[in-house]
Every structure is written in C-alpha cells, then in structure tokens.
Amino acid sequence: QVQLVESGGGLVQAGASLRLSCAASGRTLRTITMAWFRQAPGKEREFVSATTWDSSRYYADSVKGRFTISRDDTKNTVFLQLNNLKPEDTAVYYCAADESRIFTTRTNAYDYWGQGTQVTVSS
C-alpha cells in the first residue's frame, strides 16, 4: 500500500506564508501527477494545484499568483508554497497522486491520498 503524508500546516495571520510538503512511501509509485486539494467544513473538496510528468504546473484561479507547486521525484515528494495567505484559504489541505498520464482536477481520478494538514489563516 502506498502512503502519502502531508506536513507544514499551521495557524498564521493573513499575509503570512506556509510551505506544505507531501512525502510518498511504500511500493513503487509512478507519480505522474501530484496534486493538492483542500476542503473546508461543509464544502466539497476542491482542486488547488498540480504538477505533471512533464513538469507542467496548474493552479486554481483562487490561488494563482500566490501559491507555487514543485516536486522532487527522487524523493517522491511534492511541495506547495503558500504566500499571501487569506482567511478564505483556511481548509484541510490534501496531497494526491495519480498514475495516469492524463491531467485532471477530478478528485475521483486520483489513486492515492494523504490524511491532510490543517491550514488556518486569521484576519
């Protein structure tokens, strides 16, 4: 079984920054696409960002210009740099991995998920 473990969340003030990481372990994993999703209470899980096999990067409109995704395939790790955080960014952030070579923002297309890390932004 493949396991994804997120870290780096916390409580910060608006305008601050955080750096999230997600490490994959277990059997050999073809992490063609690695992505970040987030979910606030009472809301659906939503796509945040992803990076694919060709190093293309994708972002939700709500985070463009503020968040940056990167990956280290040697370490099977993906990062998300969150800058200029806003209260509306408050959510549990999940990393996900997809062995498919076709990029998608659909949650049900991803093969592996982490347990989530809480990001809370105060005003």
Side-chain angles (χ1 to χ4, degrees), residues 26-92:
R27 285 177 170 264
T28 300
L29 177 65
R30 299 184 299 277
T31 52
I32 305 303
T33 298
M34 297 193 73
W36 288 93
F37 292 77
R38 67 186 182 185
Q39 187 169 21
K43 299 187 66 177
E44 297 288 331
R45 189 169 299 183
E46 65 176 353
F47 172 79
V48 176
S49 183
T51 179
T52 57
W53 65 274
D54 60 352
S55 297
S56 295
R57 299 178 181 183
Y58 302 88
Y59 298 94
D61 288 341
S62 60
V63 305
K64 286 181 179 178
R66 298 189 297 120
F67 293 4
T68 303
I69 192 170
S70 60
R71 67 191 296 173
D72 184 340
D73 288 331
T74 300
K75 299 180 179 179
N76 289 322
T77 302
V78 63
F79 305 91
L80 186 67
Q81 180 69 38
L82 297 76
N83 294 330
N84 192 23
L85 283 162
K86 304 176 180 180
E88 51 263 43
D89 294 318
T90 295
V92 177

